[in-house]
Amino acid sequence: MNKKVLIAMSGGVDSSVAAHLMKMNGWECDGAIMRLFDKENSTDIADAEKVCDRLNIGFHIFDLRDEFYDCVIKNFISAYESGATPNPCIVCNRHLKFGRFLTEANNLGIDYIATGHYAQTEKSGDRFLLKKGADETKDQSYVLYNMTQHQLSHTLFPLGTMTKTEIRALAEENGFVNARKKDSQDICFVPDGDYVSVIKKYTSKEYPKGNFVNKKGEVLGTHQGLVNYTIGQRKGLGCAFGEKLYVAQKNIESNEVVLAKNEELFQSSLNACDFNWISYDCPPEKLRSMAKIRYSAKETPCTVFVTGDREVHIEFDAPQRAIASGQSVVLYDGDYVVGGGTIC
């Protein structure tokens, strides 16, 4: 096996330790960082380069700003404008981090990539499986469900069996400049969390106000534009209603935001499209599984019905709160990712 690997560097501690571990395990390593948008934090690029210098490995910068805009930012804006709640990190992983990045590695004559994700791969027969990271508090398998068999077979996750505490300790021992750097909690192109301002900056639009209504259609107040709201939201509605109300639905045609009581946010089923199966080449028509409807959600038992090519219908044993179109539903069998798709 050609033991050359390209490490996806981010400037953070995880990818830095991933690079260190790959080198310690005898791999011939290069590091590379993707430049994704114009106002990117230059400190991240500088930190990644410093770590590569310390490890005495090559360093590359891939300018993917145009592709990031076309694949990720446009999708993000379109989803909000259509009433959905997107997950841009999943889109980026699919098209750039495990798509274009692997292509760039191949262009350098490198067959494998490695990242600092908390996940594991495992081979079972002819099939590659995706497994949760050992550190349950950091597991990132949910955002990796779109990986193909080709990508899984050429990707290494050296942090998969480790905890964050162990990783920071290794970074300290090796004198990495980012050993104590805080983990990023935000969408990379929305560093302050104000995604509405980002949307308005890119579109130069002002989104029209409309009515807050209840499920009977009765007007409760005025909203500030549909893109300002997500399913399940209570805070920041800008109106006092005399009781706790939450965003239950966004109606594009009538430009209305439907509000409801908390107990009215629960649903027993969902449909998902663009489904990617990892455990199966041809899935059974019906199966039992555990599902997560958002990254921070707990897994819940369900029955899955395959309804079409890359389409499923999922029925939950117990109703789930605030299911949002545009988010992802990911299926698990124990520690293994069965597959996942976009809630529609």
Side-chain angles (χ1 to χ4, degrees), residues 11 28 33 44 65 100 133 150 173 213 218 224 320 322:
E28 183 182 338
I33 193 168
D44 291 336
R65 286 175 290 179
R100 180 62 187 275
H150 176 72
E173 289 173 15
V213 299
E218 298 168 337
Q224 301 302 308
Q320 299 299 296

Side-chain angles (χ1 to χ4, degrees), residues 148-211:
T148 66
Q149 284 295 297
H150 176 72
Q151 291 166 353
L152 287 166
S153 67
H154 288 83
T155 301
L156 304 165
F157 296 120
L159 308 188
T161 60
M162 301 180 67
T163 66
K164 187 72 177 193
T165 301
E166 293 170 329
I167 287 160
R168 286 210 182 274
L170 267 178
E172 291 272 13
E173 289 173 15
N174 287 276
F176 291 160
V177 65
N178 51 18
R180 299 185 182 182
K181 191 173 184 177
K182 290 184 178 179
D183 294 338
S184 174
Q185 301 295 326
D186 300 305
I187 298 168
C188 65
F189 60 94
V190 192
D192 58 359
D194 186 2
Y195 71 89
V196 178
S197 293
V198 171
I199 291 174
K200 290 180 177 179
K201 182 192 77 171
Y202 280 107
T203 63
S204 300
K205 292 180 183 178
E206 286 297 326
Y207 293 90
K209 297 180 181 180
N211 291 327

